[in-house]
Each structure stands twice: as C-alpha cells, then as structure tokens.
Amino acid sequence: MIALSQKHWSGDVAELLRVDEGFVLADVDPRATPGYERDKHAAAEDLKSGAQQLDEYQERLFAQSRVDATNASVLLVLQAMDSAGKGGIIRHVVGSTDPQGIALAAFKKPTPEELEHDFLWRIEKRLPEPGLIGVFDRSHYEDVLIGRVRSLAPADEIERRYGAINEFEKRVSDAGTRIVKVMLHISPDEQKERLMERLDRSDKHWKYNPGDVDERELWPSYMAAYQTVFERTSTEHAPWHVVPADRKWYARLAVQHLLLEALEAIDPHWPAATFDVAAEKARLAAS
C-alpha cells in the first residue's frame, strides 16, 4: 500500500473541505488555502510527488479490474463557474495518469434525444466501469443549477431532481464507485481577470464565450443555487467538497489529494499471477 503523505497538510483535506451541516458558501474565502501553509513553488513539488502516487494507484486499480473480480471505481464530479479551473484539474491532476484508465465525460447542452429521457439518463450512460477513474466535466448538477437559475424546468421538477440525484448517487456508491464531488469556488474578481486574459491573448480566444459575461450578471443567483445543492445533496455516501480556486495551484493540489484519499480507501493491490512464474521464466529462457 502506498503511504499517503500528510506531512505538508495541517489536517485531513477531505474533512477540511467537506460540506457538512451548517455550511455557508458565502463564508468560504476563494483565495484561502485550507490546511496548506506552503507557497506556490512548494505546491508544484508536492503536486509532482502526488502525481506519482496517483499514477500508481490508478494503475493498480486498472490492473486489478482486469484480473480480479472487483467493482471498484472512482468518479470525480467537477462543478464550477466558468474559468474556475476545471480544465486545469483535468490536465494537471487527472492527466498525470495513464489515459487508458480514465473515462472523461464533458456534459454540454442536452441533445434532442437526451431531452426525450429523464435528466439522469445520459449521466448513467457515462459512469466509469470497474477499474476506471471517471471524470465529469460538469454533470447532472447542471440540471439543478442552470436549470434553476435560468428557469429551464418548473420549480416542482427542480425539487424532484434533488431527491432523484440522492437516490442515483446512493445506488452508484453501493455498486462500488467512490464519488468525489468538487465545487471549484472562484471569486467574481478572479473570474474577471481570467476572462480578460482570454481576450488579451489570441491563443485563448477559442476559450472565451460571450455568454460568460451574461452569466456573471446572475452570480448571486448561481451562488444561491449552489447553496441549495449543498444543503440538499451533500450526503454521507457522496459529500460535496468546496475547494477555494482563486489560487490554481492550491485547487489542483487539493483535488489531487481528494482523489488520493478515495483511492487509498479502495486500497487496490497488484493482482497475483495466474500462472507459474518460475515455469514461465524457464520456458522463456529456453525459447
């Protein structure tokens, strides 16, 4: 078993960032670095060290699923306002592992076919198989966030969805998937700077969406919608974690650690050989 280093953290990351009863999103400082007192340079070294741990855990999980009977998998759910750093998490954290063990799903506006089904229909189709780390770049929570803020569904339907999500995630968790739900919490000022950078750089224009400015005007409504999401869907089997995201280096390090804790709890082992190793060495030497 890989030793999960806590030497640079002042407490359990999952507990520090977890949404519990009485949580208030407005009380979270987006520039804070809960549990981590080192600087950006040190964080880069810690991220590199953690990447080695994450890569081995992921390979163990993948290998075990290909040989042993296991139902274990991990699902990372990423939610955030635009430019909060979801892409950076996928690139710098999840990207440190072997791609064959990753299942990435980026949920956009529902297609006509998807709209003919319940909102969870398309989500269930993209759940990670045993042995994989699944990543949802946005998720079923869009249906109770933008769905609520933009009035894309009646109020009673939004209300129904909270319960449906809890039942769905309980079933997924019971089937062997460890769910890591993360909201990257960025401030309006930091978002403005990042959006302006996209406009200042021609190589970033493709990432800019004029609609992002319209969404900024609805910031209070989105924060209220997130607060409700946390109150209604942060459960024992699938708790929410709010990660301050104004400092990209902290957000990446924190999410990496949440994934490491989830994998450490699964504790995947290298599968034992299903053949006589000595005999195969002799056969190979004689060939």
Side-chain angles (χ1 to χ4, degrees):
M1 178 176 175
I2 304 172
L4 179 59
S5 174
Q6 288 277 357
K7 65 180 181 180
H8 295 145
W9 293 89
S10 61
D12 183 277
V13 183
E15 291 301 319
L16 288 170
L17 301 175
R18 179 173 174 149
V19 171
D20 290 318
E21 185 176 356
F23 173 86
V24 178
L25 179 60
D27 292 341
V28 178
D29 180 0
R31 288 192 61 78
T33 59
Y36 192 81
E37 299 178 359
R38 307 183 87 199
D39 60 14
K40 180 178 180 180
H41 177 74
E45 293 300 315
D46 288 341
L47 189 72
K48 183 177 180 180
S49 176
Q52 296 174 350
Q53 291 180 310
L54 187 62
D55 183 49
E56 183 172 340
Y57 264 134
Q58 183 266 341
E59 189 175 4
R60 286 188 186 191
L61 181 65
F62 184 79
Q64 191 171 12
S65 72
R66 294 305 182 265
V67 177
D68 298 337
T70 180
N71 62 355
S73 64
V74 176
L75 174 61
L76 173 63
V77 176
L78 292 173
Q79 285 290 153
M81 297 295 284
D82 292 304
S83 79
K86 297 189 310 302
I89 297 293
I90 294 170
R91 185 178 307 109
H92 297 286
V93 178
V94 181
S96 66
T97 65
D98 189 332
Q100 71 175 334
I102 302 298
L104 174 63
F107 292 99
K108 306 296 184 182
K109 182 180 178 180
T111 65
E113 179 187 15
E114 290 168 344
L115 288 173
E116 293 177 357
H117 300 269
D118 183 70
F119 76 105
L120 290 171
W121 178 77
R122 65 173 183 162
I123 305 298
E124 186 144 14
K125 292 171 61 178
R126 304 300 299 274
L127 288 171
E129 298 177 359
L132 301 186
I133 296 176
V135 182
F136 283 177
D137 180 356
R138 300 192 186 277
S139 67
H140 42 299
Y141 285 98
E142 291 293 282
D143 295 282
V144 289
L145 288 168
I146 189 171
R148 172 177 169 170
V149 173
R150 289 290 186 177
S151 300
L152 300 180
D156 59 343
E157 169 60 15
I158 298 294
E159 185 65 24
R160 180 193 73 83
R161 289 174 181 177
Y162 296 122
I165 286 173
N166 288 337
E167 293 175 3
F168 168 71
E169 292 179 345
K170 182 64 165 62
R171 176 163 51 82
V172 171
S173 176
D174 288 346
T177 299
R178 290 192 172 268
I179 304 173
V180 181
K181 298 191 299 194
V182 171
M183 185 264 199
L184 298 174
H185 187 36
I186 188 175
S187 67
D189 289 344
E190 178 65 20
Q191 188 203 50
K192 186 175 184 178
E193 287 187 18
R194 294 182 188 181
L195 292 177
M196 189 63 73
E197 180 186 14
R198 292 178 181 181
L199 290 172
D200 287 340
R201 294 176 51 179
S202 60
D203 62 327
K204 297 288 187 179
H205 287 172
W206 67 275
K207 298 181 70 175
Y208 184 82
N209 181 353
D212 292 344
V213 177
D214 299 324
E215 294 297 283
R216 280 177 57 81
E217 296 178 1
L218 298 171
W219 198 281
S221 296
Y222 273 108
M223 294 303 102
Y226 269 110
Q227 180 68 42
T228 301
V229 160
F230 298 146
E231 293 171 355
R232 300 294 300 277
T233 66
S234 190
T235 60
E236 183 177 353
H237 54 272
W240 273 102
H241 297 87
V242 173
V243 177
D246 275 15
R247 303 178 195 268
K248 294 180 181 179
W249 54 268
Y250 173 81
R252 293 168 185 174
L253 193 63
V255 174
Q256 182 191 72
H257 216 80
L258 291 172
L259 284 176
L260 282 169
E261 289 195 18
L263 286 161
E264 185 180 51
I266 294 174
D267 189 20
H269 290 75
W270 294 117
T274 56
F275 47 83
D276 186 325
V277 176
E280 290 304 306
K281 283 184 176 181
R283 289 181 64 234
L284 183 58
S287 65

